[in-house]
Amino acid sequence: MTVPTTQEIAVRVEGMSKYYGTFHALRDINLTVARGEKIVVCGPSGSGKSTMIRCINRLEEHNAGSIMVLGTELNDDVGNIDEIRREVGMVFQHFNLFPHMTVLENCVLAPMLVRKMPRVEAEAMARRYLEKVRIPEQASKYLGQLSGGQQQRVAIARSLCMQPQIMLFDEPTSALDPEMISEVLDVMVTLASEGMTMICVTHEMGFARRVADRVIFMDAGEIVEEAPPEIFFTSAKSERTQLFLAQVLGH
Amino acid sequence: MEMVVVAPPASGKLEDLKRRFFATPLQAVVSLLSLSVIVFLVWKLLNWAVFSAVFDASGGADACHAASGACWSVIAARWRIIFFGLYPYEEQWRSALACVTVVAMTVLSCIPAFWTGRRIALVWGLGAAVFYVLMKGGLLGLSFVGEEMWGGLALTLFIFVTTCLIGFPLAICLALLRRSELPWISRTTGLIIDGVRSLPLISILFTFAIVLPFALPQWLQGDKLYRVILGSALFFSAYQAEIVRGGMQGVPRGQEEAAMALGLSYWHRISRILLPQAMRNALPATINQFVISFKETSLVVIVGFFEILASGNAAYGTGEWRFAYVEVYAFIALIYFVFVFSLSRYGAFLERRMSVGER
């Protein structure tokens, strides 16, 4: 594997650790993600995969080691945190859309407040992204009128409206009814094909096979295995990975 | 055992009444008895309030002594005291106009079209200025009337509105400080809130009106009225802060995380995401607090202000009308009812409006 230059590095995590009180949630995480790379993170629940990606935009604070995002060090400097959050989008398991606003208002809020974009411009852009996630007709609706799959696609559009360079996905399909999973994955596949840098925590192994450049397996707060999907799914080195894959792919 | 024959669902109001109130003989007896009690009471009330009542003030108090019903002429004769207290007779139109201003201001700010920062600020800034100039005078050719002369409905409205106007933002500040991540800030705020809540309002009013002047330098004291308003605003804010905090706890953690992930600053997260949802959750309790505060304005009488209830006492307090206190209190109750009922209906309107986003 060639070592990417600083310019090409989107995220570099070195020796990162995280504690909840005395519980060691993340142990010595090392991860480098190049621009345009798609990473899928999997592992049993409680393995720290969500916590890890939440550290990348400082929804969780790491206690040791360093995180560099797009060349900016993530530390207590609020300016740095704001800068990184502007460039890193995130999609949550439970969508976390703002229920007191319409779909369109959800999408234009951050561009207008954070990027100081005029409303007309922001709305035009929001409509473009809503079209991209295939729900342009829902713009003036409130969330209660939307299905889970539609809500998650709105959430993706909302993140994209900030025109981020990196997208984090935290189990984006885990809260969805089975028939709605593919409509969300389709949007993610399109996004990947356009060259977005993506770090996805997901149990969708089909998506991992199809899209990921690298699959990362985590267990008990550690990165256990890291490999391209074709190798990961056929010849995983660690026993823990093999056991997990047997459980996930078993049926 | 007897077969129970289930009657087919009856149609029509009469059938419905029969089924509800006259299903068994015992039920019929109870229904008839209750009905006759109600009819009797309503008849007595109407007889007192309308049929045998005296409305015309021209006969004076003597006409009332002759009649068996209510003596509404006391209202006709003394309404100016109830509405305006000790305010100079010749200038009472100013007090009336000031009341209208407050009501208009409140109504305007209840209309969704005025819910932008600039418009609300304009309505309230302008309204407050008009109210103050009208009441106090001293310029524009209006004669000067000191705060100690203010009274009646105008004073009640003034105290209520300013209490809310100062207390509400203060409550939000306290609620935000209480959820601070710095323990010494959140604990100190908690202590202040709990401290104020553990004191009776009367003692707070008394402290601000009577005790504070001994502790403060002359230039900081201000008029007694404004000290009393500050005290009641502090009391309001302590309760309202807990209501707002409760509302905030009802907003899922993910909302703030999503706002953070989008890069929104602290103030934007608070003002656009957290507070709108928290206030929606807190709306019923908030309306409740407003209603309580409106009625608690009557407590300022203990520090010597003639708000509407105390003005009412003065209205029947002279020898001539001393017997007619029931009518005066009934009238004041009606005024309270009009304001409090509008407030709660407005609360219901807001709830309906805000539930739009829910489902």
Side-chain angles (χ1 to χ4, degrees):
Chain A
M1 207 168 110
T2 54
V3 181
T5 65
T6 324
Q7 278 295 303
E8 292 165 333
I9 292 174
V11 180
R12 168 170 279 162
V13 179
E14 279 176 331
M16 190 244 288
S17 278
K18 162 89 188 156
Y19 297 85
Y20 290 115
T22 55
F23 176 66
H24 204 164
L26 292 175
R27 296 162 192 268
D28 190 30
I29 301 289
N30 291 290
L31 175 69
T32 303
V33 182
R35 279 178 190 268
E37 207 176 3
K38 290 102 191 119
I39 308 285
V40 163
V41 185
C42 60
S45 71
S47 61
K49 48 197 195 307
S50 284
T51 308
M52 183 187 77
I53 72 163
R54 285 160 62 87
C55 282
I56 294 173
N57 65 351
R58 195 63 164 203
L59 292 185
E60 305 281 351
E61 207 172 313
H62 58 283
N63 304 114
S66 74
I67 302 176
M68 293 276 281
V69 181
L70 300 164
T72 305
E73 164 98 47
L74 191 55
N75 49 25
D76 287 332
D77 186 329
V78 180
N80 284 5
I81 295 174
D82 285 347
E83 195 180 321
I84 289 169
R85 283 179 179 163
R86 277 197 293 273
E87 301 302 330
V88 178
M90 187 168 208
V91 174
F92 298 86
Q93 180 176 2
H94 295 290
F95 328 137
N96 296 357
L97 290 169
F98 306 132
H100 56 304
M101 301 178 183
T102 63
V103 165
L104 194 66
E105 284 165 347
N106 264 280
C107 292
V108 299
L109 182 75
M112 285 175 62
L113 292 180
V114 180
R115 297 234 191 259
K116 311 287 175 212
M117 193 182 274
R119 178 174 280 276
V120 182
E121 209 176 304
E123 285 189 357
M125 180 184 65
R127 286 184 196 284
R128 271 204 310 282
Y129 282 117
L130 285 174
E131 209 153 307
K132 190 178 171 126
V133 300
R134 294 176 213 123
I135 34 174
E137 70 284 358
Q138 314 281 10
S140 56
K141 287 195 179 166
Y142 285 93
L143 305 180
Q145 299 160 286
L146 267 54
S147 73
Q150 289 173 323
Q151 290 193 41
Q152 192 60 296
R153 285 184 285 149
V154 171
I156 295 173
R158 178 178 71 175
S159 285
L160 292 177
C161 281
M162 279 296 283
Q163 295 171 311
Q165 304 187 38
I166 303 169
M167 284 288 286
L168 307 174
F169 291 85
D170 187 3
E171 306 206 26
T173 55
S174 302
L176 295 177
D177 290 334
E179 75 272 20
M180 294 171 185
I181 289 176
S182 69
E183 66 189 51
V184 171
L185 289 180
D186 286 348
V187 169
M188 290 169 65
V189 169
T190 314
L191 206 58
S193 70
E194 289 167 359
M196 176 66 79
T197 310
M198 293 164 66
I199 305 177
C200 314
V201 173
T202 182
H203 296 121
E204 298 298 328
M205 291 303 138
F207 173 79
R209 272 209 185 95
R210 201 165 143 202
V211 169
D213 296 312
R214 264 186 298 160
V215 182
I216 287 172
F217 174 72
M218 287 182 73
D219 192 18
E222 291 176 303
I223 293 183
V224 176
E225 186 128 9
E226 188 178 338
E230 54 273 21
I231 298 172
F232 183 86
F233 287 109
T234 52
S235 45
K237 288 190 285 270
S238 125
E239 234 170 82
R240 279 191 280 178
T241 315
Q242 287 164 3
L243 180 66
F244 175 76
L245 284 176
Q247 285 164 342
V248 173
L249 304 173
H251 307 285
Chain B
M1 217 172 133
E2 223 177 342
M3 276 276 287
V4 180
V5 181
V6 180
S11 57
K13 285 212 172 103
L14 207 65
E15 296 291 322
D16 197 41
L17 274 181
K18 209 168 153 188
R19 208 154 32 92
R20 274 167 192 266
F21 299 107
F22 298 93
T24 64
L26 179 65
Q27 210 181 355
V29 169
V30 172
S31 295
L32 283 175
L33 220 67
S34 317
L35 188 67
S36 47
V37 169
I38 291 170
V39 168
F40 176 72
L41 287 178
V42 168
W43 167 249
K44 282 294 258 189
L45 190 66
L46 279 177
N47 193 31
W48 176 79
V50 184
F51 303 132
S52 312
V54 180
F55 292 93
D56 185 13
S58 59
D62 297 333
C64 288
H65 288 303
S68 62
C71 178
W72 297 119
S73 45
V74 64
I75 309 297
R78 311 290 284 180
W79 64 272
R80 277 174 174 259
I81 290 189
I82 298 175
F83 278 121
F84 307 123
L86 300 174
Y87 208 80
Y89 191 86
E90 292 303 315
E91 306 292 335
Q92 283 175 357
W93 61 272
R94 282 161 50 185
S95 189
L97 215 55
C99 284
V100 172
T101 309
V102 172
V103 172
M105 195 157 93
T106 314
V107 168
L108 279 183
S109 46
C110 290
I111 298 171
F114 281 89
W115 291 351
T116 65
R118 197 179 299 168
R119 285 180 193 172
I120 283 282
L122 191 77
V123 165
W124 285 95
L126 212 67
V130 169
F131 183 94
Y132 192 74
V133 169
L134 273 173
M135 285 300 282
K136 191 146 185 182
L139 59 135
L140 299 173
L142 299 171
S143 62
F144 177 83
V145 181
E147 278 89 350
E148 69 282 358
M149 306 292 282
W150 298 10
L153 183 63
L155 186 65
T156 292
L157 287 178
F158 183 68
I159 293 174
F160 171 65
V161 168
T162 42
T163 294
C164 298
L165 220 56
I166 301 167
F168 205 85
L170 191 61
I172 290 173
C173 290
L174 287 174
L176 289 175
L177 287 175
R178 193 161 196 182
R179 68 191 278 285
S180 163
E181 280 168 18
L182 301 172
W184 63 273
I185 291 185
S186 57
R187 290 215 188 113
T188 311
T189 317
L191 210 64
I192 293 171
I193 291 174
D194 290 340
V196 173
R197 288 200 305 166
S198 64
L199 296 171
L201 178 55
I202 287 192
S203 71
I204 290 178
L205 294 181
F206 201 73
T207 307
F208 273 72
I210 316 290
V211 182
L212 217 53
F214 294 112
L216 289 178
Q218 188 72 42
W219 58 272
L220 239 174
Q221 289 179 12
D223 188 86
K224 187 168 77 172
L225 177 60
Y226 300 112
R227 290 201 307 275
V228 164
I229 287 171
L230 273 184
S232 104
L234 185 69
F235 189 76
F236 175 86
S237 66
Y239 280 88
Q240 184 60 27
E242 288 297 278
I243 293 172
V244 173
R245 188 169 70 103
M248 286 176 179
Q249 282 172 345
V251 179
R253 172 88 189 125
Q255 290 290 308
E256 213 176 345
E257 286 181 354
M260 281 185 198
L262 285 168
L264 262 57
S265 67
Y266 175 79
W267 288 113
H268 282 151
R269 293 203 298 270
I270 297 297
S271 64
R272 303 304 183 97
I273 307 302
L274 185 65
L275 277 182
Q277 296 186 63
M279 289 320 299
R280 175 190 293 181
N281 296 342
L283 188 65
T286 302
I287 295 291
N288 208 18
Q289 190 59 34
F290 273 89
V291 166
I292 290 171
S293 301
F294 185 77
K295 292 187 288 190
E296 275 177 346
T297 53
S298 58
L299 289 179
V300 299
V301 67
I302 72 135
V303 291
F305 285 110
F306 282 83
E307 45 65 61
I308 190 160
L309 198 58
S311 302
N313 288 340
Y316 71 80
T318 54
E320 192 189 356
W321 298 104
R322 192 168 286 278
F323 62 93
Y325 56 90
V326 176
E327 290 81 351
V328 170
Y329 283 132
F331 182 66
I332 292 172
L334 181 72
I335 297 173
Y336 272 108
F337 177 79
V338 166
F339 279 94
V340 170
F341 191 69
S342 330
L343 209 58
S344 57
R345 287 330 303 162
Y346 177 61
F349 158 76
L350 276 187
E351 269 181 64
R352 269 199 311 280
R353 189 189 146 85
M354 284 178 163
S355 69
V356 164
E358 309 258 283
R359 217 125 292 272

